[in-house]
C-alpha cells in the first residue's frame, strides 16, 4: 500500500451495493464515505503540522509512530491504522465468487489449519472473541507460519512484524445496520464475499517481495 500524504480516499473496487445481500449498500456507504474518510481527514490534518513526516508512506507512518513525538504518536497510530485497516479490508472483499481452491494460498491454509472448514471455524472464533472494536486477521509470521490473530481498535499487524493476508473488521459500524448485534451472522455473510485473489496476492507479497 504505497499511499502518501496528502492521503485520498480511494474508491471502492466495486459498487456500494455489489456485496448485497451479504453486506448492505448503506453500511458500505457509511463505512467508506464517512468512517474511512474521517481517518483520512484526521491523518492529513495531523501531518499538515509535521512536514518532516509528510514523505513517509502509510506503512512507514505505522511502523515509525512509536518513535514520534508523544503528542502525536497515538493520533498517528490510530488514524494511519484506520486508513490502512479499512483500505485493506475493503480490498479483501469482492462481489465475484473467487474460488478458494484455485489459489496456492489454499494449500498453505489447509496445511496450517487442517482444512478450509477448520480454518473458517478458527477464524470465526477469533473474530467473535474481539471484545469491543477491532479486527481478526490471517497473517504470516517471521518464520513463514500462517497465524490467526486479533487486534484491538485500529492497531495493525505491521507493528507486530506480521504480514497481513486477510482481515475482517468487527467494529459494530461494519455490521450493525444489517446484522444488529449478531456479529456471528455478519461473519458468516462475510465469508461469502472474501476476495481470495487479493488474499493470495498479499500472501505472495509476504513471501516474495
Ligand atoms: Mn470499520
Amino acid at each position: 500500500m504505497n499511499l502518501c500524504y496528502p492521503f485520498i480516499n480511494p474508491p471502492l473496487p466495486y459498487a456500494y451495493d455489489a456485496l448485497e445481500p451479504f453486506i448492505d449498500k448503506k453500511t458500505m456507504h457509511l463505512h467508506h464515505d464517512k468512517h474511512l474518510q474521517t481517518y483520512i481527514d484526521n491523518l492529513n490534518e495531523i501531518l499538515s503540522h509535521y512536514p518532516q513526516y509528510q514523505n513517509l508512506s502509510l506503512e512507514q507512518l505505522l511502523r515509525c509512530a512509536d518513535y514520534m513525538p508523544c503528542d502525536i504518536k497515538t493520533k498517528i497510530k490510530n488514524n494511519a491504522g484506520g486508513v490502512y485497516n479499512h483500505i485493506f479490508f475493503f480490498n479483501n472483499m469482492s462481489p465475484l465468487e473467487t474460488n478458494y481452491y484455485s489459489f496456492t494460498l489454499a494449500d498453505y491454509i489447509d496445511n496450517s489449519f487442517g482444512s478450509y472448514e477448520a480454518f473458517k471455524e478458527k477464524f470465526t472464533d477469533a473474530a467473535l472473541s474481539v471484545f469491543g472494536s477491532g479486527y481478526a486477521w490471517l497473517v504470516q509470521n517471521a518464520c513463514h507460519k500462517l497465524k490467526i490473530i486479533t487486534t484491538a481498535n485500529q492497531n495493525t499487524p505491521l507493528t507486530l512484524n506480521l504480514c497481513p493476508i486477510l482481515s475482517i473488521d468487527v467494529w459494530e459500524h461494519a455490521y450493525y445496520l444489517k446484522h444488529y448485534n449478531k456479529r456471528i451472522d455478519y461473519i458468516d455473510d462475510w465469508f461469502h464475499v472474501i476476495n481470495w485473489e487479493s488474499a493470495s496476492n498479499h500472501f505472495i507479497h509476504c513471501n516474495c517481495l
Side-chain angles (χ1 to χ4, degrees), residues 31 35 86 135 154 169 171 173-174:
H31 208 170
H35 290 274
H86 280 105
Y135 294 75
Q154 296 298 356
D169 182 344
W171 285 60
H173 66 235

Side-chain angles (χ1 to χ4, degrees), residues 1 3 31 36 39 58 62 77-92 134-135 137 151-158 164 166-169 171:
M1 222 182 268
L3 305 172
H31 208 170
L36 172 53
Y39 288 115
L58 187 58
L62 286 164
K77 202 189 270 190
N78 287 343
N79 289 291
V83 175
Y84 180 91
N85 288 342
H86 280 105
I87 293 173
F88 192 95
F89 170 69
F90 292 143
N91 289 345
N92 248 164
Y135 294 75
W137 301 82
T151 54
N153 302 314
Q154 296 298 356
N155 295 342
T156 78
L158 298 180
L166 180 68
S167 71
I168 181 171
D169 182 344
W171 285 60

Side-chain angles (χ1 to χ4, degrees), residues 23-206:
I23 314 275
D24 61 290
K25 180 182 177 181
K26 190 169 183 187
T27 293
M28 291 309 296
H29 262 295
L30 291 170
H31 208 170
H32 176 270
D33 302 353
K34 303 295 182 191
H35 290 274
L36 172 53
Q37 187 65 52
T38 300
Y39 288 115
I40 286 171
D41 292 344
N42 289 345
L43 184 59
N44 284 335
E45 207 284 320
I46 298 160
L47 289 172
S48 71
H49 305 290
Y50 291 86
Q52 66 270 40
Y53 300 134
Q54 290 174 1
N55 288 325
L56 297 179
S57 72
L58 187 58
E59 292 194 15
Q60 286 172 323
L61 285 169
L62 286 164
R63 292 182 204 277
C64 299
D66 278 338
Y67 307 100
M68 289 180 181
C70 293
D71 57 330
I72 60 163
K73 69 177 177 185
T74 302
K75 289 183 200 164
I76 292 277
K77 202 189 270 190
N78 287 343
N79 289 291
V83 175
Y84 180 91
N85 288 342
H86 280 105
I87 293 173
F88 192 95
F89 170 69
F90 292 143
N91 289 345
N92 248 164
M93 294 189 287
S94 169
L96 307 171
E97 287 266 338
T98 50
N99 186 353
Y100 169 76
Y101 292 103
S102 62
F103 300 100
T104 310
L105 173 60
D107 296 334
Y108 286 83
I109 288 177
D110 288 359
N111 286 336
S112 301
F113 303 103
S115 64
Y116 173 76
E117 289 70 29
F119 160 73
K120 186 178 175 186
E121 189 179 335
K122 197 164 182 206
F123 196 90
T124 299
D125 287 346
L128 283 172
S129 77
V130 175
F131 183 75
S133 299
Y135 294 75
W137 301 82
L138 174 67
V139 298
Q140 181 174 279
N141 71 13
C143 300
H144 292 251
K145 291 233 169 17
L146 296 184
K147 299 281 178 192
I148 293 169
I149 65 154
T150 63
T151 54
N153 302 314
Q154 296 298 356
N155 295 342
T156 78
L158 298 180
T159 48
L160 304 169
N161 201 26
L162 297 168
C163 187
I165 295 169
L166 180 68
S167 71
I168 181 171
D169 182 344
V170 292
W171 285 60
E172 275 191 346
H173 66 235
Y175 61 90
Y176 200 83
L177 290 181
K178 177 179 170 66
H179 301 89
Y180 305 114
N181 60 327
K182 297 202 172 68
R183 191 189 285 180
I184 181 72
D185 292 350
Y186 159 65
I187 297 167
D188 278 343
D189 276 349
W190 171 80
F191 270 95
H192 290 274
V193 293
I194 294 175
N195 184 341
W196 285 110
E197 184 173 8
S198 165
S200 181
N201 287 338
H202 288 305
F203 177 64
I204 292 167
H205 178 87
C206 291

